[in-house]
Every structure is written in structure tokens, then in C-alpha cells.
Amino acid sequence: MMITCLVSAAATLVILGSAARSARLRVASQYTSPDYIRYITQGYEFDTVSSKTNLLLTVTDGELPVRIHILTIDSDKKTLDILELPPDSFIIADGYSGTVRDAFKTNVYSQIVSHAFSLRLDGSLSFDSKTFGDAFEMLGVKMKLPKGISSPRPDKRGIEIDSAAGEKIALDGFSYSGSDESAVRLYRAAVSALLCELCERGSLESFSTLMNLIVNRVETDMSVEKMIGAVNSAKGIRPKKMNLWLAPGCPAKYGEKIIWALDRGEVAELLNGHFRVKDIEIPEEELSIPHFSAGEPQYKNLPERVTEILN
């Protein structure tokens, strides 16, 4: 459920199923300071009002992240920009040093991500890879496979992704640092197909179809009010205004590990161009991303617009 339509469905469900939601609600107690203080520490001096809503969405293997995304909804331009963040991405933030995947083990995961990218986060949602796969099967999502990947029984819209296939696609989250471009493209095609299917159905039908998954298997730190706000900000966004950006970087060896070395300069440019509020630019030196001399960013020619990914 990595899309605004699903957020809409989730919000409706949370309201109707508050008892179930409260049992699973995970609230980050560390963020108790006033809004204006939080905004200043995250680079939003003199501009505490934004038409953008930023959400952190994480797919796990049951314990740790396999897919990580920052969703930015612009209610004025009617756009959705998704930053696809490889779990092996190495960041530093306020005493933390390590991969984003390992940051999930802490009680301040959202704050670490927010600090690393100097980006205010309005809420976070997480669910496991099986939930991701089940959503595909329940919605009957079909997708055209990227070039180089064949299917025995395609139709005009492509192959239908069942639960097992969807789960397997999500679990292959180390394909980025493993230089497996086919797997990277397959996941992006799957996400794009899911986005389009949810938008085609609309929030009400999506809610009805995915009700059990959302109530029982999605964890969030968002209040009902914040969920409603996200719903309102997402109204009217269509696939042609949705973009899926891979965080620029490349594989690199760090000690005994292979990490995703983010290209700080290109990440800063991407965030300033698509994820920040108007007139706000954060220079690369202010991002909590270490500078690596690891070579040119990989996967430079991936299409970003959802409609182009699917074609």
C-alpha cells in the first residue's frame, strides 16, 4: 500500500475500526516538542506551513525492512513523489551511524530518517512482505514485465501477480546493492501497477477489498486526524502525476559489508527539486549523509514517471 489511494483507504478504516487500530498503534513518544521547534531543526526556518505531506512507508520481512520509501504528496500541484530508499543506504544522524535497515531496530527510526534527509515526516506506516503480496492478489493486479523478463502466459495487461509472487518481489530488497537491475526494474513495475490499480478502483472500493489487511496488519504512528489530513491532501492525484525516484547511489564496501553509498550531491538535488516545500533548499553539506567516493550512481536510466515505468 504505497500510494495515496491506499492511505485514503487506511484512513477510512482507522476511523471505522478504531478498536483494532488502537491495539496496533505504535506512537513515537520522543517527538513532544512544539511544531515550530521541530521544523527549525529540520531546516524549515521561517516556513512552518507546507502544502506537502511526507510519509515514511516500510515493507519488512517480518522483522527488518526490505523496502523503504518516503512518499511526498503535494496537494497544490496534485503530485505524488516516492523516494525509493535501498535498505542498505548508509546514513548518520544525531549519534546514529549505519544503514537505514539497522535504524529500524531503534525506537527513533522515523526521526533518524527525518534527520538524515532534513525532511519533516508527518507519519509512518509499515507492514510485512506477505501483506504486500496479499494486496496484489486481492486486487487482481496485473503488470507488464520489464524488458528481459518473460512470462509464459501474458495478456494485454500483463501477468496477474498472486500473493506469493508479490511477496517474493518485495523480499528481493538487496537487489540494489547486488547490482541486479532486472530485479530493481521488476519491483518498480510492481509498485507502479499497484498504484494504478488502486487509483482506478478508488478509495472506497480499495477500502472494502483491503479492509482486513489494513486493520490487522498495518502499523502506524499516525493519529486519525493526521490520516484524514493525508487523505485530503491526496485527492485528485492521477498516475501521470506520480513519480518513483531511486535514491542516487551505488554499491560500495564498508568494512565487511556491502552498502548502498548515497551520492549526497544528487540526493540533495533530488530532494530540493521534488520533496521540499517551495523556496526551501537544503545544501548537501547539511544532509546527514557521509560523503563516499564510490563512483557514479547506478541505474541512471530508470524511468521515474509511473506511466512510463509501466510502458
Side-chain angles (χ1 to χ4, degrees):
M1 286 113 297
M2 52 193 53
I3 40 106
T4 56
C5 294
L6 186 53
V7 171
S8 300
T12 307
L13 248 164
V14 168
I15 296 169
L16 296 179
S18 59
R21 178 193 62 79
S22 62
R24 301 181 61 81
L25 191 64
R26 184 176 61 192
V27 178
S29 59
Q30 291 80 5
Y31 256 107
T32 57
S33 58
D35 279 353
Y36 74 92
I37 294 178
R38 292 195 291 113
Y39 280 47
I40 290 174
T41 60
Q42 294 168 14
Y44 287 87
E45 292 179 298
F46 314 119
D47 189 359
T48 59
V49 179
S50 171
S51 62
K52 290 181 184 284
T53 300
N54 303 315
L55 304 174
L56 177 63
L57 192 147
T58 307
V59 183
T60 74
D61 60 7
E63 296 183 3
L64 292 173
V66 288
R67 305 286 181 175
I68 302 168
H69 317 78
I70 295 175
L71 285 68
T72 295
I73 306 163
D74 190 315
S75 58
D76 292 332
K77 294 182 178 179
K78 299 299 180 186
T79 59
L80 168 66
D81 287 287
I82 302 175
L83 180 65
E84 187 181 355
L85 190 61
D88 286 333
S89 298
F90 197 92
I91 57 174
I92 53 177
D94 226 4
Y96 176 79
S97 177
T99 65
V100 183
R101 174 181 167 87
D102 289 336
F104 190 78
K105 301 174 187 177
T106 72
N107 294 324
V108 287
Y109 169 59
S110 295
Q111 291 91 322
I112 289 173
V113 175
S114 174
H115 187 91
F117 297 99
S118 293
L119 194 69
R120 188 199 71 250
L121 294 175
D122 299 289
S124 65
L125 303 97
S126 65
F127 47 88
D128 61 24
S129 56
K130 187 178 188 316
T131 301
F132 182 82
D134 286 350
F136 275 85
E137 183 164 311
M138 293 172 74
L139 292 167
V141 177
K142 291 186 177 182
M143 57 177 279
K144 293 180 180 179
L145 295 178
K147 291 181 179 179
I149 303 176
S150 60
S151 167
R153 294 185 301 276
D155 63 20
K156 290 181 180 180
R157 294 183 60 196
I159 63 169
E160 188 166 314
I161 306 298
D162 62 17
S163 179
E167 180 178 8
K168 184 177 180 180
I169 290 171
L171 283 171
D172 198 6
F174 298 98
S175 53
Y176 310 98
S177 52
S179 300
D180 188 346
E181 184 167 341
S182 293
V184 171
R185 287 180 178 273
L186 180 61
Y187 178 71
R188 291 166 64 82
V191 170
S192 298
L194 182 57
L195 286 166
C196 290
E197 183 64 33
L198 283 161
C199 283
E200 184 177 328
R201 286 172 174 260
S203 60
L204 183 60
E205 185 179 346
S206 298
F207 154 73
S208 177
T209 303
L210 301 172
M211 177 170 55
N212 182 61
L213 295 186
I214 298 170
V215 169
N216 296 305
R217 289 159 64 177
V218 175
E219 297 186 1
T220 181
D221 62 2
M222 298 176 71
S223 66
V224 171
E225 292 77 14
K226 282 190 174 181
M227 294 288 279
I228 292 173
V231 170
N232 289 334
S233 67
K235 287 181 179 177
I237 300 177
R238 306 304 302 165
K240 65 181 181 180
K241 290 291 191 75
M242 297 177 180
N243 300 299
L244 184 57
W245 309 91
L246 178 60
C250 64
K253 190 169 184 180
Y254 185 81
E256 298 301 315
K257 294 182 178 180
I258 299 296
I259 62 166
W260 184 256
L262 292 163
D263 186 303
R264 192 172 64 185
E266 294 213 13
V267 169
E269 183 177 350
L270 177 60
L271 292 173
N272 290 337
H274 300 277
F275 293 84
R276 302 201 188 283
V277 294
K278 183 180 179 181
D279 298 327
I280 294 294
E281 290 193 0
I282 306 296
E284 63 173 284
E285 294 80 10
E286 294 185 21
L287 300 180
S288 292
I289 298 173
H291 179 70
F292 288 100
S293 299
E296 290 293 316
Q298 202 162 358
Y299 315 123
K300 291 278 287 185
N301 298 317
L302 294 176
E304 287 97 14
R305 185 171 296 175
V306 161
T307 50
E308 292 179 359
I309 292 172
L310 291 174
N311 291 328

